[in-house]
PDB file of all heavy atoms in Angstrom:
ATOM      1  N   ASP A 127      53.544  87.862  45.677  1.00 97.00           N
ATOM      2  CA  ASP A 127      53.818  88.844  44.671  1.00 97.00           C
ATOM      3  C   ASP A 127      53.657  90.258  45.113  1.00 97.00           C
ATOM      4  O   ASP A 127      54.444  91.133  44.812  1.00 97.00           O
ATOM      5  CB  ASP A 127      52.944  88.595  43.425  1.00 97.00           C
ATOM      6  CG  ASP A 127      53.265  87.271  42.723  1.00 97.00           C
ATOM      7  OD1 ASP A 127      54.420  86.752  42.905  1.00 97.00           O
ATOM      8  OD2 ASP A 127      52.409  86.743  41.987  1.00 97.00           O
ATOM      9  N   THR A 128      52.560  90.471  45.875  1.00 98.00           N
ATOM     10  CA  THR A 128      52.326  91.869  46.398  1.00 98.00           C
ATOM     11  C   THR A 128      53.343  92.229  47.442  1.00 98.00           C
ATOM     12  O   THR A 128      53.881  93.355  47.447  1.00 98.00           O
ATOM     13  CB  THR A 128      50.905  92.001  46.908  1.00 98.00           C
ATOM     14  OG1 THR A 128      49.965  91.576  45.965  1.00 98.00           O
ATOM     15  CG2 THR A 128      50.591  93.430  47.320  1.00 98.00           C
ATOM     16  N   TRP A 129      53.706  91.289  48.286  1.00 97.00           N
ATOM     17  CA  TRP A 129      54.783  91.569  49.251  1.00 97.00           C
ATOM     18  C   TRP A 129      56.083  91.945  48.570  1.00 97.00           C
ATOM     19  O   TRP A 129      56.833  92.833  48.989  1.00 97.00           O
ATOM     20  CB  TRP A 129      55.020  90.363  50.173  1.00 97.00           C
ATOM     21  CG  TRP A 129      54.157  90.318  51.411  1.00 97.00           C
ATOM     22  CD1 TRP A 129      53.213  89.352  51.776  1.00 97.00           C
ATOM     23  CD2 TRP A 129      54.204  91.261  52.487  1.00 97.00           C
ATOM     24  NE1 TRP A 129      52.646  89.692  52.969  1.00 97.00           N
ATOM     25  CE2 TRP A 129      53.279  90.831  53.451  1.00 97.00           C
ATOM     26  CE3 TRP A 129      54.923  92.423  52.751  1.00 97.00           C
ATOM     27  CZ2 TRP A 129      52.976  91.568  54.632  1.00 97.00           C
ATOM     28  CZ3 TRP A 129      54.736  93.154  53.914  1.00 97.00           C
ATOM     29  CH2 TRP A 129      53.756  92.700  54.876  1.00 97.00           C
ATOM     30  N   THR A 130      56.376  91.253  47.537  1.00 96.00           N
ATOM     31  CA  THR A 130      57.607  91.519  46.783  1.00 96.00           C
ATOM     32  C   THR A 130      57.673  93.012  46.283  1.00 96.00           C
ATOM     33  O   THR A 130      58.665  93.678  46.456  1.00 96.00           O
ATOM     34  CB  THR A 130      57.742  90.594  45.551  1.00 96.00           C
ATOM     35  OG1 THR A 130      57.830  89.215  46.000  1.00 96.00           O
ATOM     36  CG2 THR A 130      59.015  90.896  44.749  1.00 96.00           C
ATOM     37  N   ILE A 131      56.538  93.424  45.688  1.00 96.00           N
ATOM     38  CA  ILE A 131      56.466  94.797  45.252  1.00 96.00           C
ATOM     39  C   ILE A 131      56.671  95.786  46.432  1.00 96.00           C
ATOM     40  O   ILE A 131      57.410  96.772  46.306  1.00 96.00           O
ATOM     41  CB  ILE A 131      55.065  95.072  44.585  1.00 96.00           C
ATOM     42  CG1 ILE A 131      54.964  94.229  43.287  1.00 96.00           C
ATOM     43  CG2 ILE A 131      54.888  96.568  44.310  1.00 96.00           C
ATOM     44  CD1 ILE A 131      55.867  94.648  42.170  1.00 96.00           C
ATOM     45  N   LEU A 132      55.959  95.578  47.534  1.00 95.00           N
ATOM     46  CA  LEU A 132      56.030  96.504  48.678  1.00 95.00           C
ATOM     47  C   LEU A 132      57.401  96.517  49.291  1.00 95.00           C
ATOM     48  O   LEU A 132      57.904  97.666  49.584  1.00 95.00           O
ATOM     49  CB  LEU A 132      55.015  96.027  49.733  1.00 95.00           C
ATOM     50  CG  LEU A 132      53.555  96.038  49.315  1.00 95.00           C
ATOM     51  CD1 LEU A 132      52.675  95.515  50.451  1.00 95.00           C
ATOM     52  CD2 LEU A 132      53.076  97.457  48.860  1.00 95.00           C
ATOM     53  N   LEU A 133      57.987  95.401  49.531  1.00 92.00           N
ATOM     54  CA  LEU A 133      59.304  95.336  50.189  1.00 92.00           C
ATOM     55  C   LEU A 133      60.441  95.890  49.298  1.00 92.00           C
ATOM     56  O   LEU A 133      61.303  96.627  49.816  1.00 92.00           O
ATOM     57  CB  LEU A 133      59.648  93.906  50.655  1.00 92.00           C
ATOM     58  CG  LEU A 133      58.725  93.311  51.708  1.00 92.00           C
ATOM     59  CD1 LEU A 133      59.063  91.827  51.943  1.00 92.00           C
ATOM     60  CD2 LEU A 133      58.795  94.038  52.993  1.00 92.00           C
ATOM     61  N   GLU A 134      60.387  95.594  48.032  1.00 91.00           N
ATOM     62  CA  GLU A 134      61.454  96.111  47.166  1.00 91.00           C
ATOM     63  C   GLU A 134      61.335  97.646  46.994  1.00 91.00           C
ATOM     64  O   GLU A 134      62.328  98.292  47.027  1.00 91.00           O
ATOM     65  CB  GLU A 134      61.356  95.440  45.775  1.00 91.00           C
ATOM     66  CG  GLU A 134      61.796  93.999  45.741  1.00 91.00           C
ATOM     67  CD  GLU A 134      61.712  93.375  44.381  1.00 91.00           C
ATOM     68  OE1 GLU A 134      61.170  93.993  43.458  1.00 91.00           O
ATOM     69  OE2 GLU A 134      62.226  92.241  44.179  1.00 91.00           O
ATOM     70  N   GLU A 135      60.117  98.145  46.927  1.00 89.00           N
ATOM     71  CA  GLU A 135      59.926  99.567  46.806  1.00 89.00           C
ATOM     72  C   GLU A 135      60.409 100.278  48.074  1.00 89.00           C
ATOM     73  O   GLU A 135      61.037 101.304  48.045  1.00 89.00           O
ATOM     74  CB  GLU A 135      58.444  99.893  46.554  1.00 89.00           C
ATOM     75  CG  GLU A 135      58.106 101.354  46.455  1.00 89.00           C
ATOM     76  CD  GLU A 135      58.626 102.012  45.116  1.00 89.00           C
ATOM     77  OE1 GLU A 135      59.092 101.249  44.237  1.00 89.00           O
ATOM     78  OE2 GLU A 135      58.572 103.252  45.027  1.00 89.00           O
ATOM     79  N   TYR A 136      60.034  99.695  49.239  1.00 86.00           N
ATOM     80  CA  TYR A 136      60.471 100.283  50.508  1.00 86.00           C
ATOM     81  C   TYR A 136      61.958 100.378  50.607  1.00 86.00           C
ATOM     82  O   TYR A 136      62.511 101.456  50.933  1.00 86.00           O
ATOM     83  CB  TYR A 136      59.920  99.412  51.644  1.00 86.00           C
ATOM     84  CG  TYR A 136      60.445  99.809  53.050  1.00 86.00           C
ATOM     85  CD1 TYR A 136      59.711 100.797  53.809  1.00 86.00           C
ATOM     86  CD2 TYR A 136      61.576  99.276  53.588  1.00 86.00           C
ATOM     87  CE1 TYR A 136      60.215 101.188  55.054  1.00 86.00           C
ATOM     88  CE2 TYR A 136      62.019  99.646  54.825  1.00 86.00           C
ATOM     89  CZ  TYR A 136      61.325 100.584  55.573  1.00 86.00           C
ATOM     90  OH  TYR A 136      61.744 100.961  56.790  1.00 86.00           O
ATOM     91  N   GLU A 137      62.683  99.291  50.289  1.00 81.00           N
ATOM     92  CA  GLU A 137      64.144  99.296  50.414  1.00 81.00           C
ATOM     93  C   GLU A 137      64.772 100.290  49.453  1.00 81.00           C
ATOM     94  O   GLU A 137      65.802 100.921  49.728  1.00 81.00           O
ATOM     95  CB  GLU A 137      64.697  97.907  50.145  1.00 81.00           C
ATOM     96  CG  GLU A 137      64.413  96.904  51.295  1.00 81.00           C
ATOM     97  CD  GLU A 137      65.227  95.673  51.144  1.00 81.00           C
ATOM     98  OE1 GLU A 137      65.089  94.915  50.191  1.00 81.00           O
ATOM     99  OE2 GLU A 137      66.099  95.457  52.027  1.00 81.00           O
ATOM    100  N   GLU A 138      64.142 100.512  48.269  1.00 80.00           N
ATOM    101  CA  GLU A 138      64.751 101.382  47.247  1.00 80.00           C
ATOM    102  C   GLU A 138      64.451 102.841  47.621  1.00 80.00           C
ATOM    103  O   GLU A 138      65.312 103.713  47.330  1.00 80.00           O
ATOM    104  CB  GLU A 138      64.134 101.059  45.913  1.00 80.00           C
ATOM    105  CG  GLU A 138      64.648 101.980  44.790  1.00 80.00           C
ATOM    106  CD  GLU A 138      64.087 101.572  43.423  1.00 80.00           C
ATOM    107  OE1 GLU A 138      63.535 100.450  43.274  1.00 80.00           O
ATOM    108  OE2 GLU A 138      64.192 102.416  42.487  1.00 80.00           O
ATOM    109  N   GLU A 139      63.257 103.156  48.151  1.00 78.00           N
ATOM    110  CA  GLU A 139      62.825 104.535  48.325  1.00 78.00           C
ATOM    111  C   GLU A 139      62.943 105.115  49.689  1.00 78.00           C
ATOM    112  O   GLU A 139      62.945 106.330  49.841  1.00 78.00           O
ATOM    113  CB  GLU A 139      61.361 104.629  47.906  1.00 78.00           C
ATOM    114  CG  GLU A 139      61.087 104.313  46.445  1.00 78.00           C
ATOM    115  CD  GLU A 139      61.743 105.284  45.507  1.00 78.00           C
ATOM    116  OE1 GLU A 139      61.941 106.460  45.887  1.00 78.00           O
ATOM    117  OE2 GLU A 139      62.113 104.911  44.395  1.00 78.00           O
ATOM    118  N   ILE A 140      63.187 104.342  50.755  1.00 79.00           N
ATOM    119  CA  ILE A 140      63.234 104.856  52.097  1.00 79.00           C
ATOM    120  C   ILE A 140      64.384 105.849  52.183  1.00 79.00           C
ATOM    121  O   ILE A 140      65.500 105.573  51.709  1.00 79.00           O
ATOM    122  CB  ILE A 140      63.370 103.733  53.159  1.00 79.00           C
ATOM    123  CG1 ILE A 140      63.315 104.340  54.545  1.00 79.00           C
ATOM    124  CG2 ILE A 140      64.561 102.955  52.935  1.00 79.00           C
ATOM    125  CD1 ILE A 140      61.979 104.887  54.957  1.00 79.00           C
ATOM    126  N   PHE A 141      64.111 107.011  52.789  1.00 84.00           N
ATOM    127  CA  PHE A 141      65.143 108.068  52.858  1.00 84.00           C
ATOM    128  C   PHE A 141      65.802 107.968  54.250  1.00 84.00           C
ATOM    129  O   PHE A 141      65.222 108.253  55.250  1.00 84.00           O
ATOM    130  CB  PHE A 141      64.468 109.475  52.731  1.00 84.00           C
ATOM    131  CG  PHE A 141      65.382 110.581  52.677  1.00 84.00           C
ATOM    132  CD1 PHE A 141      66.592 110.554  51.982  1.00 84.00           C
ATOM    133  CD2 PHE A 141      65.069 111.776  53.350  1.00 84.00           C
ATOM    134  CE1 PHE A 141      67.441 111.635  51.956  1.00 84.00           C
ATOM    135  CE2 PHE A 141      65.952 112.857  53.303  1.00 84.00           C
ATOM    136  CZ  PHE A 141      67.090 112.791  52.596  1.00 84.00           C
ATOM    137  N   THR A 142      67.075 107.612  54.159  1.00 85.00           N
ATOM    138  CA  THR A 142      67.852 107.389  55.354  1.00 85.00           C
ATOM    139  C   THR A 142      69.039 108.434  55.445  1.00 85.00           C
ATOM    140  O   THR A 142      69.343 109.113  54.405  1.00 85.00           O
ATOM    141  CB  THR A 142      68.467 105.999  55.448  1.00 85.00           C
ATOM    142  OG1 THR A 142      69.397 105.856  54.327  1.00 85.00           O
ATOM    143  CG2 THR A 142      67.387 104.922  55.404  1.00 85.00           C
ATOM    144  N   LYS A 143      69.656 108.564  56.604  1.00 89.00           N
ATOM    145  CA  LYS A 143      70.800 109.428  56.693  1.00 89.00           C
ATOM    146  C   LYS A 143      71.912 108.994  55.764  1.00 89.00           C
ATOM    147  O   LYS A 143      72.654 109.797  55.145  1.00 89.00           O
ATOM    148  CB  LYS A 143      71.335 109.432  58.132  1.00 89.00           C
ATOM    149  CG  LYS A 143      72.500 110.382  58.340  1.00 89.00           C
ATOM    150  CD  LYS A 143      73.012 110.313  59.833  1.00 89.00           C
ATOM    151  CE  LYS A 143      73.809 109.076  60.041  1.00 89.00           C
ATOM    152  NZ  LYS A 143      74.452 109.043  61.362  1.00 89.00           N
ATOM    153  N   GLU A 144      72.040 107.638  55.554  1.00 90.00           N
ATOM    154  CA  GLU A 144      73.102 107.137  54.669  1.00 90.00           C
ATOM    155  C   GLU A 144      72.849 107.609  53.237  1.00 90.00           C
ATOM    156  O   GLU A 144      73.801 107.928  52.486  1.00 90.00           O
ATOM    157  CB  GLU A 144      73.140 105.616  54.750  1.00 90.00           C
ATOM    158  CG  GLU A 144      73.740 105.086  56.056  1.00 90.00           C
ATOM    159  CD  GLU A 144      72.854 105.293  57.277  1.00 90.00           C
ATOM    160  OE1 GLU A 144      71.626 105.398  57.112  1.00 90.00           O
ATOM    161  OE2 GLU A 144      73.391 105.417  58.382  1.00 90.00           O
ATOM    162  N   LYS A 145      71.594 107.607  52.792  1.00 90.00           N
ATOM    163  CA  LYS A 145      71.283 108.096  51.465  1.00 90.00           C
ATOM    164  C   LYS A 145      71.594 109.594  51.360  1.00 90.00           C
ATOM    165  O   LYS A 145      72.058 110.090  50.325  1.00 90.00           O
ATOM    166  CB  LYS A 145      69.824 107.800  51.124  1.00 90.00           C
ATOM    167  CG  LYS A 145      69.537 106.357  50.728  1.00 90.00           C
ATOM    168  CD  LYS A 145      68.196 106.204  50.101  1.00 90.00           C
ATOM    169  CE  LYS A 145      67.986 104.747  49.648  1.00 90.00           C
ATOM    170  NZ  LYS A 145      66.659 104.529  49.004  1.00 90.00           N
ATOM    171  N   ALA A 146      71.284 110.338  52.409  1.00 94.00           N
ATOM    172  CA  ALA A 146      71.537 111.728  52.420  1.00 94.00           C
ATOM    173  C   ALA A 146      73.071 112.005  52.292  1.00 94.00           C
ATOM    174  O   ALA A 146      73.485 112.861  51.525  1.00 94.00           O
ATOM    175  CB  ALA A 146      71.060 112.405  53.646  1.00 94.00           C
ATOM    176  N   ILE A 147      73.864 111.201  52.927  1.00 95.00           N
ATOM    177  CA  ILE A 147      75.304 111.375  52.837  1.00 95.00           C
ATOM    178  C   ILE A 147      75.789 111.053  51.401  1.00 95.00           C
ATOM    179  O   ILE A 147      76.641 111.741  50.859  1.00 95.00           O
ATOM    180  CB  ILE A 147      76.001 110.452  53.875  1.00 95.00           C
ATOM    181  CG1 ILE A 147      75.844 110.973  55.311  1.00 95.00           C
ATOM    182  CG2 ILE A 147      77.491 110.306  53.596  1.00 95.00           C
ATOM    183  CD1 ILE A 147      76.312 110.074  56.424  1.00 95.00           C
ATOM    184  N   ASN A 148      75.214 110.060  50.825  1.00 94.00           N
ATOM    185  CA  ASN A 148      75.556 109.696  49.420  1.00 94.00           C
ATOM    186  C   ASN A 148      75.223 110.868  48.530  1.00 94.00           C
ATOM    187  O   ASN A 148      75.996 111.187  47.608  1.00 94.00           O
ATOM    188  CB  ASN A 148      74.766 108.466  48.951  1.00 94.00           C
ATOM    189  CG  ASN A 148      75.359 107.144  49.660  1.00 94.00           C
ATOM    190  OD1 ASN A 148      76.440 107.123  50.124  1.00 94.00           O
ATOM    191  ND2 ASN A 148      74.508 106.150  49.680  1.00 94.00           N
ATOM    192  N   PHE A 149      74.024 111.512  48.687  1.00 95.00           N
ATOM    193  CA  PHE A 149      73.675 112.675  47.868  1.00 95.00           C
ATOM    194  C   PHE A 149      74.706 113.766  48.069  1.00 95.00           C
ATOM    195  O   PHE A 149      75.123 114.385  47.043  1.00 95.00           O
ATOM    196  CB  PHE A 149      72.293 113.162  48.279  1.00 95.00           C
ATOM    197  CG  PHE A 149      71.160 112.320  47.800  1.00 95.00           C
ATOM    198  CD1 PHE A 149      69.950 112.246  48.582  1.00 95.00           C
ATOM    199  CD2 PHE A 149      71.171 111.681  46.626  1.00 95.00           C
ATOM    200  CE1 PHE A 149      68.888 111.519  48.157  1.00 95.00           C
ATOM    201  CE2 PHE A 149      70.086 110.881  46.213  1.00 95.00           C
ATOM    202  CZ  PHE A 149      68.960 110.810  46.980  1.00 95.00           C
ATOM    203  N   ALA A 150      75.115 114.050  49.291  1.00 96.00           N
ATOM    204  CA  ALA A 150      76.079 115.094  49.520  1.00 96.00           C
ATOM    205  C   ALA A 150      77.422 114.783  48.869  1.00 96.00           C
ATOM    206  O   ALA A 150      78.086 115.682  48.321  1.00 96.00           O
ATOM    207  CB  ALA A 150      76.275 115.325  51.034  1.00 96.00           C
ATOM    208  N   GLU A 151      77.890 113.576  49.004  1.00 96.00           N
ATOM    209  CA  GLU A 151      79.148 113.174  48.417  1.00 96.00           C
ATOM    210  C   GLU A 151      79.150 113.292  46.879  1.00 96.00           C
ATOM    211  O   GLU A 151      80.095 113.760  46.271  1.00 96.00           O
ATOM    212  CB  GLU A 151      79.468 111.671  48.799  1.00 96.00           C
ATOM    213  CG  GLU A 151      79.846 111.512  50.287  1.00 96.00           C
ATOM    214  CD  GLU A 151      79.995 110.039  50.645  1.00 96.00           C
ATOM    215  OE1 GLU A 151      79.489 109.191  49.881  1.00 96.00           O
ATOM    216  OE2 GLU A 151      80.562 109.793  51.722  1.00 96.00           O
ATOM    217  N   GLU A 152      78.004 112.955  46.285  1.00 96.00           N
ATOM    218  CA  GLU A 152      77.890 113.061  44.802  1.00 96.00           C
ATOM    219  C   GLU A 152      77.835 114.517  44.393  1.00 96.00           C
ATOM    220  O   GLU A 152      78.470 114.907  43.425  1.00 96.00           O
ATOM    221  CB  GLU A 152      76.667 112.319  44.341  1.00 96.00           C
ATOM    222  CG  GLU A 152      76.753 110.799  44.462  1.00 96.00           C
ATOM    223  CD  GLU A 152      75.425 110.112  44.144  1.00 96.00           C
ATOM    224  OE1 GLU A 152      74.517 110.806  43.751  1.00 96.00           O
ATOM    225  OE2 GLU A 152      75.387 108.881  44.267  1.00 96.00           O
ATOM    226  N   ALA A 153      77.104 115.346  45.157  1.00 96.00           N
ATOM    227  CA  ALA A 153      76.944 116.740  44.810  1.00 96.00           C
ATOM    228  C   ALA A 153      78.265 117.559  44.905  1.00 96.00           C
ATOM    229  O   ALA A 153      78.610 118.308  44.061  1.00 96.00           O
ATOM    230  CB  ALA A 153      75.829 117.373  45.621  1.00 96.00           C
ATOM    231  N   LEU A 154      78.976 117.346  46.005  1.00 95.00           N
ATOM    232  CA  LEU A 154      80.161 118.126  46.275  1.00 95.00           C
ATOM    233  C   LEU A 154      81.422 117.489  45.596  1.00 95.00           C
ATOM    234  O   LEU A 154      82.364 118.222  45.312  1.00 95.00           O
ATOM    235  CB  LEU A 154      80.370 118.308  47.776  1.00 95.00           C
ATOM    236  CG  LEU A 154      79.299 119.147  48.477  1.00 95.00           C
ATOM    237  CD1 LEU A 154      79.534 119.161  49.998  1.00 95.00           C
ATOM    238  CD2 LEU A 154      79.297 120.519  47.929  1.00 95.00           C
TER     239      LEU A 154
END
Side-chain angles (χ1 to χ4, degrees):
D127 291 340
T128 306
W129 270 118
T130 298
I131 294 293
L132 298 177
L133 295 174
E134 287 182 352
E135 180 73 8
Y136 173 88
E137 287 194 295
E138 180 177 344
E139 296 296 329
I140 185 68
F141 185 41
T142 63
K143 184 182 73 173
E144 288 69 28
K145 282 193 176 181
I147 289 174
N148 289 338
F149 285 149
E151 289 174 342
E152 292 173 3
L154 294 176

